Amino acid sequence: MSTRMVITTKINGEPIEFLADSRDSLLEALRERIGLRGAKEGCNNGNCGACAVILNGRLTNSCCVMAAEVEGAEITTIEGIASPEALHPIQQAFLEEAALQCGICTPGFIVATKALLDENPHPTEDEARFWLAGNLCRCTGYDKIIRAVLKSADEMAK
Amino acid sequence: MQALKYARAASVDEAVKLLQEGGPTARVLAGGTDVIVMARERRRHIELFVDIKHIDELMQMTDGADGLRVGAGVPLYQIYGDANITKTYSALAEATHVIGGTAIQGRATIGGNLANASPAADSIPAQFVLGGVATIAGPSGRREVPVTEICTGPGQNILQPGEFIVSIFFPRPAAHSGSAWERFIPRNEMDIAVVNAAVALTLDGETVTAARFGLGAVAARTLFVESAAAAIVGKPLTDATIAAAAAAAREAATPIDDMRGSIKQRKHLAGVLTEHVLRKAAERARA
Ligand SMILES: Cc1cc2nc3c(=O)[nH]c(=O)nc-3n(C[C@H](O)[C@H](O)[C@H](O)COP(=O)(O)OP(=O)(O)OC[C@H]3O[C@@H](n4cnc5c(N)ncnc54)[C@H](O)[C@@H]3O)c2cc1C
Ligand code: FES
Ligand code: FES
């Protein structure tokens, strides 16, 4: 048996109430119940980071969180990174450095980079690589991605 | 995902009650990094998740004069992120720092790593050598069990119906002690250990007065290697005694052949890693 539950959260700064099944993962709830399809399902088992969100200030894989767990929580998804006027400097740097090809991994990398720079605004290359070790990309190659991450840190420091 | 309910426990007593009522298909939900995937892939029959992360006692970590108590809901990043823990309980900090990636470390717990009882679990050798004692709550109250006695086989532990781990306590190491943890994996991060090893030792001058060894991924459960300690305790730390401890570790290992490594490689690594962690821990003990 499963149950229906009303979950109250704040997503990207906005209070959101949604109806979830007690079996839903947060990733399923975001995509199917709330209509935020930016977080991607890559592996559905915690290994790829395509589903990354920031949950109560911590980088988290939303496929490894139950929707019911986010009652009362604050979540930032890829949809909350840009402002209505402009791309976030991280997004801009990913474009300029051609740090994406198919784009499946990109929301996860950008959210993970946001969480990194929130905590460590001037990461070394090693720190950036270690932080992003849980994000997999099958097409672009990590060097371009790391270049974009370090560039966005520089841009944001200006 | 299979039929599954979720309950948030507000107290230890409520969690015990929920687990007891739920029976064998009720599971503690800590960081969820093992158990949610298991439920989704139907590797376990689970009908109820009991979320323990809203119980105050479980979210606390206290580093006191007598030792370190880690609540069973405390995520890994808080452990290795604490400079005092890194200095005094180095093996635990080193292991927790490389379990999964950043997103895993934001949620995963050492209680979950222990209860899940994977033979390759990375924090378990560190918990062993630091003398961890788990506080377990259950229908008939609380009991204290050394972490070396929790796991009984792959995915198997001693917890009885209605029981769960509330916290794990690590006594403060004596003066001139040091510990270290290391694993071998083919990549730099994000992989399951081919072998992992930890040691904690205490020195009096250059004489080893106490030592505890842990070895993972070389048997059906993490090994507490008393023969390695016997090879070195009471003796001076020399190349010869280090080699004797490493030989004891190699001997104690009874690994399997699988896609991650062969028996021969794993036995060899058990010795190599034991030597590495011994030298590193000794340096820390002297510092
Ligand atoms: C991508 C990825 C990478 C990983 N990398 C590693 C790695 O490098 N090294 C490693 O060792 N592990 C690794 N893991 C496995 C996992 O992250 C760890 O075992 C983690 O420590 C589990 O903790 P948790 O709090 O998430 O446990 P959960 O998933 O919440 O629980 C695991 C099991 O323990 C039980 N349990 C949890 N807490 C308690 C408690 N307090 N009392 C009683 N029972 C309890 C649960 O019911 C469940 O059966 C990885 C997992 C993923 C998805
Ligand atoms: S889909 Fe969540 S980590 Fe891959
Ligand atoms: S751009 Fe295709 S997976 Fe990264």
Side-chain angles (χ1 to χ4, degrees), chain A residues 1-3 5 22-23 25 44-47 55 58-61 63-66 68-71 129-134 136, chain B residues 1-6 8 29-33 36-37 40-41 49 51 53 77 97-98 101-104 106-107 187 189-190:
Chain A
M1 239 210 318
S2 56
T3 44
M5 351 182 43
S22 58
R23 289 175 292 190
S25 69
N44 220 12
N45 62 25
N47 274 281
L55 174 60
R58 295 309 304 179
L59 182 68
T60 308
N61 292 330
C63 71
C64 291
V65 178
M66 300 307 291
E69 285 186 79
V70 306
E71 169 65 38
R129 284 186 188 269
F130 192 75
W131 182 277
L132 295 169
L136 303 184
Chain B
M1 179 91 58
Q2 55 197 302
L4 185 60
K5 289 194 204 169
Y6 168 91
R8 185 177 278 193
L29 177 64
T33 60
I36 290 176
V37 177
R40 178 177 302 130
E41 295 175 357
F49 275 149
D51 189 347
K53 296 185 296 299
Y77 81 92
H97 191 47
V98 298
T102 319
I104 299 293
R107 299 243 305 160
R187 5 178 359 215
E189 296 100 16
M190 293 287 292

Side-chain angles (χ1 to χ4, degrees), chain A residues 100-106 136-140:
Chain A
L100 67 154
Q101 286 186 15
C102 79
I104 284 278
C105 68
T106 312
L136 303 184
C137 173
R138 294 303 302 273
C139 13
T140 304

